[in-house]
Amino acid sequence: MTAMATETDRRMVPAVDRAPSSWGLGDGQAIPWEYAPAPESADIVTIKERYGLFIDGREVAASDGGVFATVNPATEGILAHVAKATAADADKAVKAARRAQTRRWGNLSGKERAKYLFRIARILQERSREFAVLESMDSGKPIKESRDVDVPLAAAHFWYYAGWADKLDYAFPGRVARPLGVAAQIIPWNFPLLMLSWKIAPALAAGNTVVLKPASTTPLSALLFADVCRQADLPPGVVNIVTGPGEIGMSLVTHPGIDKVAFTGSTEIGKRIARGVAGTDKALTLELGGKAANIVFDDAPLDQAVEGIVNGIYFNQGEVCCAGSRLLAQESIVEPLIAKLKDRLATIRVGDPLDKNTDVGAINSKSQLEKITELVASGVAEGAELYQPACELPDRGYFFRPTLFTNVAQSHRIAREEIFGPVLSVLTFRTPDEAVEKANNTVYGLSAGIWTDKGSRILEMVGKMRAGVVWANTFNRFDPTSPFGGYKESGFGREGGLHGLLAYVRLEDR
Ligand code: NDP
């Protein structure tokens, strides 16, 4: 509080004994306050008790009537029961997609296809609150993230690829771009609607039809998207959505009626899928795991870097393939950097995903929470030093405290394995060469971050790093015009931008 404060102002400042010294507050200054709950209403979305598969423009039950439950990870309560597709259903979906591709969608002009994509983009924007609430309830991600990142970016992908649909001749000058045919698309649970848009928008723009399999823990936004397809009057069979276990994904991958497979998920399943298409002429793109280095040099603006580090690893509970899960800090600044980071961690709010003030929501599933817990225990057992802020966690639901490990060695599991949780491992370096060596010392190669004042250093580092995306003085920035994808065990192929379109066309000479 300043000297100009009134008596009323003074009464509004909560009484506490003493602010922690790390807050840097002198006597008489205002102290941080607790945020009052600010829950987003769930009334905007109607969640049905049961959902069917979306095949040939219609909602149908699984051929054997099977269903499975999808759970709200923040409450552990069942949200809905969803059809559990069989191999026969997958077959029906592929055949519907083939009919739609050969008889209708593949013959439409680019201008006509664009109209549908524009319509979908507009409907996504109109129904954005509904999508954001549903996504947060089904996945556990904070509403401010689904509202401000996932849903707007999903719509942006449809806008962007709608723009290309009638300009393929300009996208690939001198060549004729033909659709591949029918695409099988398998998506994960960390960005359900966004991954759907990364896959469906370029496929449709280029004249393909699709069969999409969402992850079993997060099927609801894809099923709401089926409703958008109906609302947009998309011809039946252009988009088909089959929900069910991993084997259904494999039924699609190995189906002879599939021309292209696009997968985002774990490296382990990615390898199985690569084996599944081996020996066929199916096109394949794989976007797999990561263990990104976020490198902070001693000339970096530390406060900005701290925000970038926090955004890099605690955004979406760290359940991000390109998360900056390894912090590489130059030795001379490691102490002030960690001190600032610990102060910042104390302000992160963990809790109800539907609360607009929540920074870190619920972990997506019980099994993912168990995986994170096990890897964090391994970090402690291997000798790294654990720090967690003393935040309270809700009594129910799958929550995990933001976690920071110092004294981490490159051999530790927490420095090598993808944790996919809010867990940061801090390593140090002395020279730029050592930073490059440590950053590249991973089986993955999806992303990286560099924090420095020098543009020349950024350019030099970028050239030496084996990562598909390198962010400079920022982290976790996405744009539909920008390609995204990895090297090594992070997969191959690119999504986004022209590269993302290229993955769905066959180029022929004129
Ligand atoms: P998976 O790779 O198993 O799941 C991703 C998608 O693949 C889901 O739709 C899943 O379906 C499907 N799938 C599972 N098995 C098969 C199969 N045999 N053939 C075809 N499709 C299949 O990831 P998990 O959910 O098991 O997560 C495990 C770990 O993977 C995480 O801890 C994380 O480290 C990593 N991961 C990485 C992601 C990334 O974006 N890079 C995304 C998700 C996870 P279903 O949900 O029905 O099993």
Side-chain angles (χ1 to χ4, degrees):
M1 188 182 295
T2 66
M4 298 298 289
T6 63
E7 265 313 303
T8 320
D9 294 334
R10 251 175 225 118
R11 280 199 303 274
M12 284 167 69
V13 175
V16 291
D17 291 336
R18 203 161 55 86
S21 59
S22 58
W23 290 349
L25 302 170
D27 274 352
Q29 282 186 288
I31 54 117
W33 63 91
E34 266 310 308
Y35 281 70
E40 173 74 57
S41 165
D43 292 349
I44 183 95
V45 59
T46 306
I47 302 182
K48 298 191 294 183
E49 267 176 41
R50 281 194 177 226
Y51 287 84
L53 311 167
F54 183 59
I55 298 178
D56 216 3
R58 289 187 309 125
E59 183 176 357
V60 293
S63 57
D64 65 358
V67 291
F68 64 96
T70 182
V71 167
N72 180 338
T75 63
E76 301 176 47
I78 291 177
L79 286 169
H81 285 90
V82 174
K84 188 173 170 187
T86 61
D89 296 318
D91 180 56
K92 257 191 241 161
V94 174
K95 286 182 175 146
R98 174 65 60 194
R99 277 194 305 275
Q101 208 280 330
T102 50
R103 294 186 195 164
R104 184 87 202 269
W105 194 250
N107 304 324
L108 276 187
S109 67
K111 194 170 138 202
E112 290 304 311
R113 290 197 305 272
K115 282 187 195 167
Y116 287 103
L117 291 176
F118 279 128
R119 218 178 280 168
I120 290 172
R122 225 171 15 245
I123 297 170
L124 281 177
Q125 286 185 326
E126 281 162 10
R127 299 179 68 175
S128 61
R129 236 181 100 211
E130 194 181 346
F131 270 99
V133 170
L134 185 67
E135 194 79 314
S136 282
M137 291 175 80
D138 204 19
S139 73
K141 65 174 65 208
I143 185 74
K144 71 174 174 191
E145 190 205 308
S146 44
R147 182 196 61 198
D148 299 345
V149 181
D150 296 45
V151 180
L153 267 177
H157 274 80
F158 280 97
W159 287 118
Y160 174 72
Y161 283 110
W164 275 124
D166 62 347
K167 301 177 195 67
L168 296 182
D169 288 349
Y170 300 94
F172 310 107
R175 313 293 303 276
V176 181
R178 305 243 182 252
L180 295 174
V182 179
Q185 306 181 319
I186 301 168
I187 56 170
W189 41 262
N190 52 345
F191 292 92
L193 182 70
L194 186 58
M195 290 302 106
L196 172 153
S197 71
W198 281 24
K199 293 196 165 34
I200 293 185
L204 265 48
N208 304 277
T209 56
V210 307
V211 182
L212 177 111
K213 192 202 98 61
S216 291
T217 55
T218 53
L220 295 186
S221 54
L223 295 169
L224 189 59
F225 182 80
D227 201 39
V228 171
C229 295
R230 278 191 293 251
Q231 200 181 337
D233 247 340
L234 194 69
V238 173
V239 168
N240 303 273
I241 296 171
V242 290
T243 45
E247 299 91 77
I248 288 305
M250 197 45 93
S251 306
L252 293 174
V253 168
T254 53
H255 195 292
I258 289 294
D259 304 296
K260 149 92 187 176
V261 176
F263 172 77
T264 299
S266 63
T267 295
E268 184 202 332
I269 301 297
K271 287 179 181 174
R272 278 197 230 169
I273 286 175
R275 282 196 289 271
V277 302
T280 72
D281 62 357
K282 292 174 189 172
L284 176 64
T285 43
L286 296 173
E287 201 267 271
L288 311 176
K291 193 73 191 174
N294 205 356
I295 306 172
V296 182
F297 284 96
D298 57 6
D299 62 347
L302 287 197
D303 290 323
Q304 279 176 37
V306 165
E307 289 310 308
I309 294 162
V310 166
N311 179 38
I313 184 63
Y314 303 115
F315 168 72
N316 203 42
Q317 298 71 247
E319 296 165 327
V320 184
C321 47
C322 52
S325 51
R326 288 181 300 151
L327 171 62
L328 298 190
Q330 195 151 19
E331 249 181 40
S332 48
I333 45 111
V334 70
E335 278 181 21
L337 186 65
I338 298 303
K340 280 175 185 285
L341 203 47
K342 286 182 177 173
D343 280 355
R344 181 65 178 84
L345 250 60
T347 69
I348 289 180
R349 291 177 298 273
V350 184
D352 179 5
L354 284 188
D355 191 313
K356 291 169 207 152
N357 293 323
T358 293
D359 299 309
V360 171
I363 300 300
N364 182 256
S365 64
K366 189 159 180 263
S367 65
Q368 186 60 23
L369 180 63
E370 284 165 0
K371 179 182 167 187
I372 297 168
T373 309
E374 194 260 321
L375 273 158
V376 166
S378 84
V380 174
E382 289 185 310
E385 200 173 301
L386 174 133
Y387 173 83
Q388 290 175 326
C391 58
E392 268 184 39
L393 299 185
D395 296 336
R396 298 189 61 192
Y398 312 134
F399 290 92
F400 199 84
R401 282 197 178 79
T403 299
L404 173 70
F405 272 112
T406 46
N407 286 338
V408 179
Q410 289 191 83
S411 57
H412 289 166
R413 285 180 66 199
I414 53 169
R416 290 186 289 114
E417 295 181 27
E418 184 178 51
I419 301 176
F420 233 61
V423 183
L424 179 64
S425 301
V426 183
L427 299 116
T428 60
F429 67 93
R430 287 184 186 168
T431 63
D433 283 347
E434 190 185 347
V436 169
E437 200 184 306
K438 284 188 170 165
N440 287 341
N441 185 14
T442 166
V443 294
Y444 298 110
L446 192 55
S447 64
I450 302 170
W451 296 83
T452 174
D453 208 23
K454 295 189 185 65
S456 56
R457 178 175 280 162
I458 292 170
L459 294 175
E460 197 195 341
M461 293 287 294
V462 167
K464 292 177 176 171
M465 290 184 19
R466 294 288 288 166
V469 179
V470 183
W471 286 289
N473 293 326
T474 185
F475 208 93
N476 272 343
R477 291 266 166 184
F478 303 98
D479 190 283
T481 64
S482 172
F484 182 91
Y487 288 104
K488 301 192 280 186
E489 295 206 6
S490 292
F492 50 79
R494 296 291 179 264
E495 291 183 309
L498 263 184
H499 299 65
L501 201 56
L502 183 60
Y504 284 95
V505 295
R506 197 177 61 245
L507 294 181
E508 292 173 0
D509 291 333
R510 278 195 182 280

